[in-house]
Structure formats: structure tokens, C-alpha cells
Amino acid sequence: MVITAAPARESAPAHLPPGRRRTHLRRRTAINYALVAPALVLSIVIVVVPGILTLLFAFTDWSGVGFDVHFVGGKNFASILSDPVFATALTNNIKWLVMFLTLPAVIGLLTAMLLLRRKRLRTFYQVIYLMPYVLAPVVNALVWQTIIYNPHGGVAGLLGIQPPTGSTSTALYAAAAVDMWHYWGFLTVVYLGAIRQTPVDQVEAAIVDGAGGWGVFRNVYLPSIRPTLLLMGVMTVIFSFLAFDYVFLLTQGGPAHASEVMGTYAYAFAFSSFEFGKAAAVGIIMSFFGLLASVLYTWISRREIAR
């Protein structure tokens, strides 16, 4: 765990008289607040205010148009929690989370360890692996829809199978596969950067002591990159409950809500049935899981620092 030292308390130059020192400190403090102010105002306008409005609208029947708003208490939450589609969406989000905490993480870690030995072409491979991540989701979805899932000329057509996006049993996994394909390269680059920060003398000492490849990884590399693994795990939890783009682009939550996730579920409330109150309630539930992951990460980080 990287622990940064607290910044030293700012003090005025010692050669100034007491009155000018106080003026100097006040001016420096004002400048510091002025530098922080734009980011603070932007955060309040873009994050805090919409967040508070979303929380308020979750208890109303607002349609998203006009100012006709009525307070309905917890009716939106009760309606959502009793809806079987919400149960399907929540289950799919949990499946999404399990898939992304395992497959891309394992593949990214293995690839990073392989790249660690490839010193000459390491940068080239990293660029190749990052390409899907820097492309827009709609481009990645089109590539897979055209080349892989296309029943007329794509890989699915050549194999004589139905596109997995059209089946209730495979639609969710088909969308997740595209998202994992775009995500694992990013994890590889992040893990490789963390692995390269491992002190070389520790690796050499483990090898001198007779540790094999697995022993070096388990006893040296893994403890070294543990904070990175933890951080990326928390980010994966948050992103899994915010999953929307690839599901919407490839299946739109179908067929028959089989690939519905909470993101598409909230979208349908907001822009199909114009029930912004219910959409806001779903958004609050989604945020709850992200908040839970953030609290867990903070708690684990504090434990690591306290050791």
C-alpha cells in the first residue's frame, strides 16, 4: 500500500515582520481556495446537485416533462421491488459482476505476467491490447455484431448457429463477452504497471532462495500488486452495477428481458414510459451498490495502513 506523507504546513518566510507574515499567509490561503474553487463548483453543479435532485425525484411521480410533480413516498421503490423484471435485472447485474471479477482479471493478470518477460515488444502489445478500450462502445458493438454475431456472413453464420444475442439463455453472456473483450486489455496494462513497480531485489532474493515461477508470483508479485488488485476490483464492482452501453447496443435488455440490467431497466422507465420517478428510484438502488463497494474499499485500505 502506497502511503503518501501529509503535506507540510505552509509557513511565511522567517525574515518578514509579524504583520507582513500574517498578510502573506492570508494571501496564500486565499490563492489556495481560489485554485480549488473551480473544481469544487464543477463537482457541486455536475455531481452533488443532480444527485440530490435524483434522490428527491425518486419519491415523486414526475414524468420528466413540465413541473407537475407529486410526492408519492416510497411507492416507486415498492413498485420496483415487487416487479419480477427488477429481480431479473438485479440477478443479471450480479452475474455480470461475477464474470468481470474473474475472467478479465485472470486473463489480464496472466497476460501482464507474460508481457513482463517480453521487454522488446512489450509496448507494442500494450498498444494492441488497449485498442478495444479506446474505441467507442458503439464501434466495438458493431464489430462484434457484424463479424461474430452476424447470421449472414459472420462467424455465427459460418458455424450455422443462431446469434447468441437472440436467445434468452445466451443474450446476457453475448453482451458481456463484448464488454470483457474491450476491458481485459485495460486491466493488462494496469496490472503490468503495478507488477513493474515490484522491487527487483525482492524478486532476485526469492529466486536465489529457490522459489519457482509460481512461488515468486505468490510471495513477491501478488503482495506487491495487492492494492492495485483491490482498487480495480472495487472499480469493477461499481462498473458492473452501471453496465448499460453494450447491453443496450446489442440486445436492448431482450429478448423477453433476459439480458435486462438495472441500467436498461432505468432507461426504459425514463425514456419509454416517461416515469422519471421510478427511473430515479432505480438509479438510487444502483448507487447503493457502488457506495457499498466504496465503503468496503475504504475500510480495507484503512486496515492496510494500520498494519
Side-chain angles (χ1 to χ4, degrees):
M1 176 65 68
V2 177
I3 302 174
T4 55
R9 189 180 179 85
E10 190 174 358
S11 59
H15 65 276
L16 293 177
R20 291 190 61 185
R21 290 177 64 183
R22 284 194 293 272
T23 305
H24 175 84
L25 287 176
R26 280 197 294 269
R27 186 167 61 245
R28 295 295 303 176
T29 303
I31 292 173
N32 291 341
Y33 280 120
L35 291 174
V36 172
L40 185 63
V41 170
L42 274 178
S43 297
I44 291 173
V45 172
I46 296 175
V47 179
V48 177
V49 173
I52 294 173
L53 289 177
T54 301
L55 180 62
L56 294 176
F57 285 135
F59 296 94
T60 69
D61 62 351
W62 189 44
S63 66
V65 180
F67 300 97
D68 187 16
V69 183
H70 302 96
F71 180 73
V72 296
K75 186 178 176 183
N76 288 334
F77 290 94
S79 174
I80 289 168
L81 294 176
S82 62
D83 186 356
V85 178
F86 172 76
T88 302
L90 180 59
T91 304
N92 285 340
N93 273 109
I94 293 173
K95 289 179 181 176
W96 196 278
L97 169 64
V98 172
M99 285 188 283
F100 274 75
L101 279 178
T102 52
L103 288 176
V106 171
I107 295 173
L109 204 53
L110 286 174
T111 311
M113 290 302 298
L114 291 174
L115 285 182
L116 192 63
R117 299 172 182 271
R118 293 277 184 180
K119 296 182 179 178
R120 290 184 58 188
L121 295 176
R122 184 187 297 159
T123 304
F124 171 75
Y125 282 118
Q126 288 183 76
V127 172
I128 296 296
Y129 294 155
L130 268 180
M131 285 183 69
Y133 191 76
V134 300
L135 291 176
V138 66
V139 176
N140 289 329
L142 274 175
V143 167
W144 276 68
Q145 193 74 282
T146 306
I147 299 176
I148 308 295
Y149 296 153
N150 185 1
H152 306 289
V155 175
L158 289 175
L159 296 176
I161 59 175
Q162 290 298 317
T165 50
S167 169
T168 55
S169 59
T170 57
L172 178 70
Y173 305 107
V178 183
D179 201 354
M180 284 190 281
W181 174 75
H182 120 277
Y183 187 54
W184 76 269
F186 170 72
L187 285 181
T188 298
V189 174
V190 172
Y191 291 156
L192 179 62
I195 290 171
R196 293 182 66 186
Q197 300 301 316
T198 304
V200 178
D201 55 345
Q202 293 184 13
V203 178
E204 293 175 345
I207 294 174
V208 170
D209 288 343
W214 170 247
V216 173
F217 174 76
R218 185 166 63 90
N219 297 312
V220 180
Y221 285 121
L222 199 56
S224 174
I225 66 172
R226 187 180 172 189
T228 303
L229 292 175
L230 177 62
L231 176 62
M232 297 314 298
V234 172
M235 298 302 293
T236 301
V237 173
I238 295 173
F239 291 150
S240 295
F241 284 99
L242 297 178
F244 172 77
D245 42 12
Y246 287 101
V247 175
F248 185 77
L249 289 167
L250 291 165
T251 66
Q252 296 190 339
H257 300 292
S259 62
E260 198 83 69
V261 291
M262 285 198 283
T264 55
Y265 186 60
Y267 180 89
F269 275 130
F271 300 105
S272 295
S273 58
F274 292 98
E275 295 177 281
F276 270 73
K278 288 185 178 179
V282 177
I284 295 299
I285 296 173
M286 292 167 64
S287 303
F288 169 76
F289 291 102
L291 180 65
L292 203 62
S294 302
V295 171
L296 181 63
Y297 173 72
T298 305
W299 178 69
I300 295 176
S301 299
R302 285 178 179 272
R303 279 190 58 193
E304 294 287 337
I305 293 174
R307 282 182 180 176

